[in-house]
Amino acid sequence: MHIVIMGCGRVGSTLAHILEDNGHSVAIVDRDPQAFRRLRAGFRGRRVTGIGFDRDVLAEAGIGTAGAYVAVSSGDNSNIISARVARETFGVENVVARIYDPRRAEVYQRLGIPTVATVRWTADQILRRVLPEGAEPLWRDPTGTVVLAEVACNPGWIGTRVAEVEETTGVRLAFVNRMGEALLPKSDTVVQEGDILHVLAAENDMDRINKVLAGAPEGEH
């Protein structure tokens, strides 16, 4: 697949190298030609100097045949404008824009432009390391309404099938950490001692979920 990246900073150049190593063709756009120094000597992709939402610049980068477009420059406005041009003018369906302002990220996400809100993501990662285990979600969607979170599980749930856990608690069990390895559970997977459960749920429902799983199932004493 051909992929166009706007912004040859640390993130853009790293993405370019990873994508090229995985067999994709890459074109990277930056208004500063000095930025291309971040690319390794053997980089085979296109280097295009210009503004990432300029149609001629994008055409030179091969946007017409691109399967994906990534906007990771240092400017929120430039990223979202270029992402919209890639999608609405050139018909690239798979686009993503890095946004520093989480409030903007929520707006653009609702408009159908996938975003990565870097400030919020970084804050979440730091909080997960300084607060008690499980106090902060592993992931949240840009609108902040859905989270992937680790939950504490009462020993009374050991021996219970995943289907029963989901039905009783009303949650979606995303995966189980079992002895340090991630396990995608099936409906008949049984909770074992030492399992760490991770759920996908609405953030405003997490207090209820934690209380339900912290207690023993009905019938347990």
Side-chain angles (χ1 to χ4, degrees):
M1 180 167 63
H2 181 58
I3 300 166
V4 178
I5 300 171
M6 184 187 82
C8 194
R10 285 172 293 182
V11 173
S13 58
T14 299
L15 281 172
H17 294 151
I18 293 172
L19 289 168
E20 188 173 75
D21 288 344
N22 281 281
H24 301 288
S25 66
V26 179
I28 190 159
V29 178
D30 201 291
R31 67 176 65 195
D32 180 8
Q34 300 300 314
F36 299 127
R37 292 183 176 182
R38 292 189 175 91
L39 297 170
R40 61 193 175 198
F43 179 69
R44 300 184 302 276
R46 305 181 203 174
R47 301 168 174 83
V48 181
T49 302
I51 299 172
F53 47 84
D54 183 289
R55 297 184 184 186
D56 292 335
V57 170
L58 289 174
E60 184 181 348
I63 195 72
T65 59
Y69 181 80
V70 181
V72 287
S73 76
S74 59
D76 282 6
N77 289 336
S78 296
N79 288 341
I80 200 62
I81 291 172
S82 67
R84 293 191 65 180
V85 169
R87 170 171 285 178
E88 297 169 14
T89 302
F90 293 96
V92 181
E93 293 186 6
N94 191 12
V95 302
V96 62
R98 177 175 67 175
I99 303 295
Y100 285 93
D101 185 342
R103 293 168 299 180
R104 286 184 176 183
E106 293 175 15
V107 172
Y108 294 129
Q109 189 78 13
R110 292 191 180 103
L111 292 175
I113 301 293
T115 59
V116 177
T118 54
V119 173
R120 180 73 222 210
W121 183 88
T122 302
D124 281 347
Q125 298 305 303
I126 292 172
L127 289 170
R128 285 188 56 237
R129 286 161 176 77
V130 299
L131 294 179
E133 190 172 17
E136 278 296 304
L138 300 169
W139 169 90
R140 75 177 77 229
D141 81 303
T143 67
T145 57
V146 177
V147 297
L148 172 64
E150 177 184 314
V151 291
C153 185
N154 186 289
W157 292 96
I158 295 172
T160 305
R161 292 187 305 114
V162 163
E164 296 172 9
V165 174
E166 293 184 331
E167 183 178 356
T168 303
T169 61
V171 304
R172 177 67 58 83
L173 190 56
F175 71 95
V176 175
N177 187 312
R178 179 170 291 172
M179 299 182 66
E181 295 187 0
L183 169 69
L184 293 176
K186 299 179 180 179
S187 60
D188 60 351
T189 299
V190 174
V191 177
Q192 297 182 9
E193 183 176 0
D195 282 356
I196 302 173
L197 308 185
H198 296 81
V199 301
L200 271 174
E203 185 170 38
N204 60 13
D205 197 31
M206 284 306 303
D207 285 344
R208 180 194 67 82
I209 293 167
N210 281 317
K211 288 178 182 178
V212 172
L213 288 172
E218 291 185 11
E220 289 285 336
H221 300 286

